[in-house]
Every structure is written in structure tokens, then in C-alpha cells.
Amino acid sequence: MRALVLAEHDNRSLKPATHAAVAAAKQLGGEVDVVVIGHRADAVAQQAAKLDGVAKVLVADDPVFHELLAEPAADLLVGLASGYDALLAPATATGKNVMPRLAALIDVQQVSEIVAVIDAETFVRPIYAGNALATVKSTDAKKVITVRATAFAPAAETGAAAIEPIAAVADPGASRFLERRVTESVRPELTAARVVVAGGRGIGSDGAFALVSQLADILGGAVGASRAAVDAGFIPNDAQVGQTGKIVAPDLYIAVGISGAIQHLAGMKDSKVIVAINKDSEAPIFQVADYGLVADVFEAVPALIERLSA
């Protein structure tokens, strides 16, 4: 069993999701390689080479890959697929964009968002918005897999793999990159933060959402939100946590004024410690919380901020 992992990166640094994908690939029981597809991504290749269990890092460096569009990336992976039994990527925006196209091109069925590896053919993945786990078996000769990064302990950086350049492919011209709009923040990235403080519709307004931000800043964490808070315009949608937002699993998740709809729980219930603050004692969020406080958020959160500040 040989596995190839598509690296998630920004041409400057390797994203933590790749560490989790490598950890999943190692559980398949064979040799693991990583492919870095990008432009001027030498630093990324060096970081990937340090991942424990990686035998070789393949580097396709070309301007056509600068934004990692799905079409040229998938075409490159098709050319590499003959040498591997499984091809994996993190279940991020990039992985969800590239891997389904790859699966279609090599005529196999993708196994999406796995959270556990039983053996080289059998995997566990969430269904019904994360309310159930399905054990699925793929008999395809080649496995195309996306990995839910929060479900696997990241691979350590103790390796020293060889780095090998490979040829690029021509751009099929099926799509083109227009622009990137980046939200700058001094806070940690939401999906990689050890602490997340999330607010819901119970906060009441975008002005009051500053309480959530203040608590997050004191704890050195990221700010998240429920879909209801995003739909209400309290915070931009890149902060949404849930089935249709971002999947997080921090060491500490504080849910402020969040009732706990199924869609939201699917995105955060794997957090190590969950703290819920809500005035409704019947709110579903308390069913998954390790610690629950039934209180008015406008009394409890300022008091918590004051105590932490002291």
C-alpha cells in the first residue's frame, strides 16, 4: 500500500491540516509520500519533508500552480496516480475542490471526510450532519480520500524525507483565478486555534458581539459564530462554525448565546472541552457541553472577562 498526500499550503507555509492527512495516510499501513503543488514553494517542501512517516516529497513548481486551481492540479495527480494505491488530501476548500475531479478522472468513488481508518479499505465517516458515523468499505483499486483534519492527531515533525522535483502539466484553461480577498487578523486561524470563543444569535447585535471578541483576545483564541449570528449580520461568514462552515476541534470551545442547532454541533462537538453559556436551560448545546452556565450572557461574560483580566 503506497499513499500520496496532497499538501495544503499558501506557497509559504504548510498548513496544519496536512499533518493530519499524513497521520491518516500512515494508518493505511504502507509508504507515504507528499506532493507539493505550487509556485516558489521551496519552504513548504522543506516543512513537508520533516513530517514523521513521509518517505519522499514530490514538488511540482510552476506558475500555473500558484493558486492551485482544481483542473491543472487534478491533471497532475492523474499522472501520479499509477504509482499509488491511495491519494489523500485534507477536507479543506482545496481538497474538496481538487479530489472529486481527480476521482472522476480516474473513475473511482471518493471517500469523503474520514474520521478513522479501520484498514486499507475500510473507513469511518460522519453522516446526517455528524449525528451518526458510517463505516464504509471501498473496493476501488485506487482510493481517493479526503480527511477531516480535526479527527487525527497531527504527524510530528521528526522526519527527514528526500525532496524530488517533478514536471508540471499544461493548464487546460478550464478556469482562471480572478482575485483573493483575505481577512487580516491578529487572532489565530479559526480552524487551527487552541481556543475558540463563538457567539450566537443570543448575543443580540453586532455591537454586543464585541464581548465575544474581547473574551477571545484575553484567552488568545479565535472568534467563531453560529450560522444564525452570521445570517443576522453580526459577523462575517468566514467565522461560521458548523456543517456548512468550518470544522473546529480546539482544546477549549466557549459557546456564548448559542442554542446548539444540529448544523452547529456538527462543526464543534469534537472539541476537547466545551463550555456553554446560555440563559435557556433547555438549549441543546448543554447536551454536548462539559461545563454549562445558565445565565444571561450580558452578565456572565463581562464578569468572566473581569475575572480573567485580574
Side-chain angles (χ1 to χ4, degrees):
M1 169 65 72
R2 294 190 68 203
L4 180 67
V5 175
L6 173 64
E8 174 88 10
H9 63 90
D10 59 4
N11 290 312
R12 297 185 299 275
S13 61
L14 192 68
K15 300 300 182 182
T18 308
H19 295 60
V22 167
K26 287 168 58 181
Q27 294 184 21
L28 294 175
E31 187 174 287
V32 178
D33 293 344
V34 172
V35 59
V36 175
I37 304 175
H39 181 47
R40 296 176 180 172
D42 294 341
V44 176
Q46 295 291 341
Q47 294 168 42
K50 295 179 182 178
L51 295 181
D52 181 55
V54 174
K56 181 169 56 179
V57 177
L58 306 178
V59 182
D61 195 304
D62 191 274
V64 72
F65 298 132
H66 188 268
E67 298 299 337
L68 202 60
L69 297 177
E71 293 81 7
D75 286 350
L76 179 74
L77 291 173
V78 168
L80 298 173
S82 60
Y84 295 94
D85 303 294
L87 299 101
L88 302 89
T92 58
T94 297
K96 292 177 181 179
N97 193 25
V98 174
M99 301 309 277
R101 176 173 288 271
L102 168 64
L105 289 172
I106 64 176
D107 196 23
V108 301
Q109 181 172 319
Q110 177 176 301
V111 182
S112 301
E113 298 207 37
I114 66 167
V115 296
V117 176
I118 306 300
D119 57 42
E121 293 187 337
T122 313
F123 312 94
V124 178
R125 61 180 303 271
I127 59 173
Y128 302 133
N131 284 299
L133 296 174
T135 301
V136 299
K137 183 171 184 177
S138 172
T139 57
D140 287 326
K142 296 188 183 301
K143 313 294 188 287
V144 175
I145 301 166
T146 59
V147 177
R148 182 169 287 191
T150 56
F152 293 88
E157 296 183 353
T158 56
I163 298 175
E164 178 183 315
I166 59 175
V169 295
D171 186 352
S175 64
R176 61 191 178 93
F177 177 77
L178 295 179
E179 66 174 330
R180 183 185 302 276
R181 298 182 182 180
V182 179
T183 302
E184 298 291 344
S185 175
V186 296
R187 299 188 182 100
E189 183 181 350
L190 181 57
T191 55
R194 295 184 60 190
V195 176
V196 173
V197 181
R201 184 165 47 196
I203 295 296
S205 69
D206 54 351
F209 217 89
L211 282 174
V212 175
S213 301
Q214 189 176 352
L215 180 56
D217 290 341
I218 290 174
L219 296 172
V223 174
S226 68
R227 179 172 179 174
V230 170
D231 289 347
F234 298 166
I235 191 169
N237 61 10
D238 60 355
Q240 182 179 327
V241 174
Q243 185 183 15
T244 55
K246 295 179 179 177
I247 308 297
V248 301
D251 294 337
L252 173 63
Y253 188 91
I254 303 179
V256 180
I258 294 176
S259 63
I262 290 175
Q263 190 273 344
H264 184 76
L265 297 183
M268 47 65 72
K269 66 180 183 178
D270 290 329
S271 303
K272 307 300 183 294
V273 176
I274 299 173
V275 177
I277 304 173
N278 199 302
K279 65 180 180 181
D280 179 9
S281 62
E282 301 298 321
I285 190 71
F286 289 120
Q287 297 178 14
V288 299
D290 298 286
Y291 301 94
L293 176 61
V294 179
D296 188 324
V297 297
F298 298 106
E299 296 177 0
V301 175
L304 180 58
I305 290 172
E306 182 180 355
R307 177 62 67 89
L308 290 171
S309 298

